[in-house]
Amino acid sequence: MELKIEGLSRVYGKHKVLHDINFSMHEGIYGLIGKNGAGKSTLMRILATIDFASNGKVFFNGKDIFSIGEEYRGMIGYMPQDYNIYSGFNAIDFLEYMGALKGMKKQELKLKISDVLEIVNLSDVSHKKIRTYSGGMKRRIGIAQAILNNPDILILDEPTAGLDPSERLNFSNFISNLSRKKIVLLSTHIVSDIEAVAKELIVMNKGKILESGKVEDLIMSNQGKVWEAVLTQEEYQQIQKERKVIHVKQNGNNMTVRYIGERFQTEENREQEPTLEDYYESLWLS
């Protein structure tokens, strides 16, 4: 199974949102990260056929997704970053409506609704109006509709926003198990969620792919370069100018600083195992 993007660009008026995007995806989870305005949501909308490319094409198993049409749309699950839910519906009504739009048969739909509500932990509130749901619960019903048709391709834009740590862990475990025979593209600002589940990472900036590769390779690019030191205020001012500072925490009169670069000459200074967050933050620091 392959989803291949070739020379993809998107222009709105005089504003070019995507610039010549090229990459391929196979079974597994791909993390998509970048600053706001990088073009992530536009790319995902095109892959979900909600939007159209100005140039370039997207192929699923060698066929143009727009020429496949309804057949392709029946194979994808999509959760946008911002979406409207009919607040007068309860969870079951909403999923029945979404299942009908996806062309699912009534008997199959009844069984799947029960399954996905259990997965997203909404079974006990399935008859309550969605208007009574919290923000996190609304994200979970969005995830439920995306996986309702057991899609081959799952496109999730900020699915963990508003979820508490326990819900995020449950989501990570579910997506990890689900992805064995599916292509999953997951965009999030919570980099640790990507590190927990993704096999490959795509970093976007200003409508272009800045970097991509296997998650472990990108993390290990900082092996031997990540340190944590306890510094005085004066040392902290100096290290800010000379190193890539990742985190800072007040420690009495001193500062505990996590940074990337050559070891800063101070007594309390220990090498740290690099993380995906170290890699990501270092991309934007000079």
Side-chain angles (χ1 to χ4, degrees):
M1 187 158 51
E2 181 185 54
L3 189 62
K4 187 174 184 179
I5 295 91
E6 289 188 352
L8 200 68
S9 297
R10 183 64 169 105
V11 179
Y12 295 104
K14 295 182 179 180
H15 183 46
K16 198 166 190 178
V17 180
L18 298 177
H19 303 254
D20 194 29
I21 302 293
N22 295 276
F23 66 92
S24 296
M25 294 184 289
H26 301 86
E27 288 91 340
I29 302 174
Y30 293 77
L32 182 64
I33 61 177
K35 292 184 176 181
N36 289 336
K40 304 184 301 296
S41 293
T42 299
L43 174 60
M44 298 178 102
R45 285 173 58 84
I46 292 172
L47 296 180
T49 70
I50 304 299
D51 201 352
F52 296 89
S54 301
N55 290 292
K57 292 189 176 183
V58 182
F59 300 94
F60 179 64
N61 291 340
K63 296 180 180 179
D64 187 317
I65 62 171
F66 288 99
S67 68
I68 301 173
E70 288 300 321
E71 182 184 351
Y72 173 76
R73 282 186 280 275
M75 293 186 288
I76 65 174
Y78 173 53
M79 178 184 173
Q81 183 175 0
D82 299 307
Y83 61 95
N84 293 319
I85 301 177
Y86 298 104
S87 59
F89 281 1
N90 62 36
I92 294 174
D93 292 338
F94 175 67
L95 293 175
E96 284 180 346
Y97 172 73
M98 294 302 298
L101 292 180
K102 293 171 185 278
M104 298 177 67
K105 295 179 180 178
K106 286 186 176 181
Q107 191 60 34
E108 174 196 12
L109 183 56
K110 184 176 180 180
L111 295 173
K112 288 297 294 182
I113 288 174
S114 177
D115 287 344
V116 298
L117 286 173
E118 185 71 26
I119 288 166
V120 300
N121 196 27
L122 288 175
S123 297
D124 58 338
V125 293
S126 61
H127 292 284
K128 291 186 177 180
K129 300 293 185 183
I130 292 174
R131 70 166 63 96
T132 68
Y133 285 10
S134 67
M137 293 166 73
K138 289 176 180 177
R139 297 307 288 177
R140 282 187 273 152
I141 197 69
I143 294 168
Q145 66 79 25
I147 63 176
L148 187 60
N149 59 325
N150 191 28
D152 292 320
I153 301 168
L154 188 57
I155 302 167
L156 302 172
D157 196 353
E158 297 290 343
T160 58
L163 301 187
D164 65 33
S166 175
E167 291 169 338
R168 283 168 49 207
L169 179 60
N170 289 337
F171 172 78
S172 294
N173 291 336
F174 168 70
I175 290 296
S176 294
N177 292 328
L178 183 74
S179 66
R180 291 171 186 170
K181 295 183 180 180
K182 301 181 188 300
I183 295 172
V184 180
L185 182 61
L186 168 63
S187 172
T188 179
H189 284 89
I190 305 171
V191 178
S192 58
D193 287 351
I194 294 285
E195 186 172 5
V197 297
K199 70 171 187 176
E200 293 199 31
L201 185 70
I202 302 158
V203 184
M204 291 188 66
N205 187 40
K206 298 180 180 179
K208 299 179 181 179
I209 294 180
L210 181 62
E211 289 191 16
S212 64
K214 292 184 178 180
V215 169
E216 66 250 34
D217 292 341
L218 297 175
I219 291 172
M220 294 309 293
S221 67
N222 282 318
Q223 184 70 49
K225 302 177 183 178
V226 183
W227 307 88
E228 187 173 274
V230 178
L231 306 176
T232 65
Q233 293 286 345
E234 292 76 15
E235 288 173 326
Y236 173 59
Q237 295 301 320
Q238 182 182 348
I239 205 173
Q240 273 190 308
K241 301 173 183 177
E242 300 174 356
R243 306 291 191 275
K244 295 177 179 179
V245 174
I246 304 299
H247 290 302
V248 181
K249 182 173 67 175
Q250 192 73 36
N251 185 7
N253 294 325
N254 296 324
M255 316 287 287
T256 299
V257 180
R258 186 182 182 94
Y259 67 94
I260 296 177
E262 293 183 12
R263 187 180 186 277
F264 190 78
Q265 296 305 312
T266 187
E267 185 175 341
E268 292 193 55
N269 197 348
R270 294 182 177 86
E271 184 178 342
Q272 305 293 308
E273 280 299 310
T275 66
L276 189 61
E277 185 175 6
D278 294 325
Y279 161 78
Y280 179 68
E281 292 298 332
S282 71
L283 291 173
W284 319 111
L285 295 170
S286 57

